[in-house]
Amino acid sequence: MRHRLKDVAERAGVSVKTVSNVVNGHVHVRPDTRARVEEAIVELNYRPNLSARHLRKGRTGVIALAVPELDIPYFAELARHVVSVAAEHGWTVLIDQTGGRRDQERVLASGITDHLIDGLILSPLALTAADLAALDGTPMVLLGERIEHCPADRVVIDNVAAAREITGHLIQLGRRRIAAVGAQRTDEGASARLRLAGYRDALRAAGLDHDQALVASAPAWHRADGAAAMRGLLTSGVRPDAVFCFNDTLALGALRTLHEAGLRVPEDVAVAGFDDIEDGRFATPALSTVAPDKEQVARLAVQLLANRLDGDPTLPAQQLTAPYRLKLRESTTPRVDHEVIAMKDGVSPQ
């Protein structure tokens, strides 16, 4: 039997309105009254009827999360956090992948179909600012720096600073021929460009020449692309003593190629990645990496969407920056007994 507000009110000896105030977190309820209501809720195992609540607000209670590829571990891990945080708001999350295609991103950004979703969290690769300006309506939060002068709320990570720091770590180890794996020259490669810029900044700050022969492109950021890029570096006669891969799946592929070539990591070649996916922690050797706070990315994105749904939709768009850490493991520092963590704290609006 599903109990109603009226049942809770009768058990607690209060009005239905008082129970509603407690359930919805209103502060103007006397502590002893709140305690009685909460006790009645527990005793009756009362659960709010979220469907009815959403209908009263003219909403579905469903939001969408759209990412380029679900088989990229970073996006799978991020999706798990988004689902958990959205549940705190009583939302169900519809998850889709765009393949980085502009037409698919436009369909999602337009709300898919009328009244199917209340809002969207989107990691775009092809969508433009002009595309967003032409759309009308669906509350949206973007992930990443793909769109400059963004007209929508978004959550970013400081990719340039993070890439600069992980490259700086390799330089501090005494490495001087540091390769970069994952460069992309397409419009969709915003993260690649920013991470390449941070890599170059670190070389410049250390007085090291930027050798274009040490920069390897990757059309996608999968394990096979990392393996192929590393193989290309080695067979071209370029012999790096360290490699910064622009994500962890590229780094896992590079580790495999180095192993097949008989090179030791990190003794011969130190390897670092970006994303701190679970596979990297269990690689041999365990992978040093930039660790974006994925839980915080999810929490900021969901909160921005909630603010947009519950507040004034005409307010200026916000950009929030989520923190990251460097997690230094065996692939760069063979004698570590535990993770050495260099943390960038804070969430900053920009």
Side-chain angles (χ1 to χ4, degrees):
M1 176 180 175
R2 186 183 183 99
H3 291 286
R4 302 167 298 170
L5 280 178
K6 181 180 178 182
D7 301 321
V8 177
E10 289 176 354
R11 177 65 66 94
V14 298
S15 69
V16 171
K17 177 63 174 175
T18 298
V19 176
S20 177
N21 287 341
V22 172
V23 169
N24 289 293
H26 294 175
V27 296
H28 301 299
V29 180
R30 289 173 51 181
D32 59 332
T33 301
R34 184 183 299 276
R36 291 206 314 278
V37 172
E38 290 174 346
E39 183 178 353
I41 287 172
V42 172
E43 290 174 353
L44 296 176
N45 194 28
Y46 170 75
R47 295 290 182 271
N49 188 333
L50 295 177
S51 296
R53 182 182 299 178
H54 292 313
L55 285 172
R56 285 195 297 271
K57 293 182 177 180
R59 297 180 188 165
T60 65
V62 177
I63 65 169
L65 169 67
V67 298
E69 296 181 78
L70 287 170
D71 53 356
I72 293 289
Y74 173 83
F75 290 122
E77 294 178 13
L78 177 64
R80 175 172 59 83
H81 289 297
V82 170
V83 169
S84 296
V85 177
E88 299 173 11
H89 294 260
W91 293 341
T92 297
V93 182
L94 173 67
I95 298 175
D96 201 354
Q97 67 174 8
T98 65
R101 300 192 309 274
R102 185 181 178 200
D103 58 342
Q104 183 66 10
E105 291 179 356
R106 282 175 58 87
V107 168
L108 288 161
S110 64
I112 307 178
T113 59
D114 288 345
H115 309 302
L116 181 58
I117 60 172
D118 296 328
L120 171 68
I121 298 172
L122 170 66
S123 178
L125 288 185
L127 210 64
T128 66
D131 290 329
L132 291 177
L135 297 173
D136 110 14
T138 301
M140 186 186 328
V141 176
L142 302 183
L143 304 178
E145 301 89 336
R146 162 70 182 95
I147 302 175
E148 296 182 2
H149 311 297
C150 183
D153 295 326
R154 69 174 173 173
V155 179
V156 303
I157 297 158
D158 193 337
N159 278 283
V160 174
R164 184 189 305 123
E165 288 197 36
I166 195 68
T167 305
H169 162 64
L170 297 172
I171 293 169
Q172 289 170 5
L173 296 174
R175 311 298 170 129
R176 291 298 178 265
R177 292 188 56 75
I178 302 171
V181 169
Q184 295 177 336
R185 295 178 177 85
T186 62
D187 290 342
E188 294 80 9
S191 294
R193 289 192 294 276
L194 294 170
R195 293 174 193 181
L196 182 62
Y199 158 82
R200 288 173 171 167
D201 285 351
L203 296 181
R204 189 180 306 111
L208 298 177
D209 291 334
H210 168 61
D211 184 351
Q212 187 59 36
L214 287 168
V215 177
S217 299
W221 284 3
H222 299 153
R223 295 166 183 82
D225 298 286
M230 191 73 247
R231 194 175 301 114
L233 286 169
L234 296 179
T235 57
S236 70
V238 174
R239 179 63 183 272
D241 58 12
V243 183
F244 166 41
C245 297
F246 289 179
N247 79 347
D248 285 354
T249 51
L250 289 169
L252 293 173
L255 285 175
R256 179 66 187 181
T257 293
L258 291 167
H259 172 73
E260 292 173 348
L263 295 171
R264 300 168 301 162
V265 177
E267 291 83 358
D268 299 320
V269 183
V271 178
F274 201 117
D275 285 345
D276 190 32
I277 63 173
E278 187 174 11
D279 287 354
R281 297 168 221 160
F282 290 90
T284 302
L287 184 62
S288 291
T289 187
V290 174
D293 189 335
K294 292 185 278 289
E295 192 276 338
Q296 185 71 351
V297 171
R299 189 163 295 280
L300 290 173
V302 170
Q303 189 56 58
L304 282 172
L305 192 56
N307 293 347
R308 192 60 64 179
L309 286 168
D310 295 333
D312 181 354
T314 65
L315 289 174
Q318 290 191 73
Q319 174 177 305
L320 300 180
T321 303
Y324 65 85
R325 301 180 178 190
L326 300 190
K327 293 196 175 181
L328 310 181
R329 304 188 180 106
E330 299 161 342
S331 68
T332 62
T333 52
R335 295 182 178 83
V336 294
D337 296 320
H338 54 82
E339 289 182 2
V340 180
I341 299 176
M343 182 173 184
K344 282 295 174 184
D345 288 309
V347 177
S348 57
Q350 295 185 357

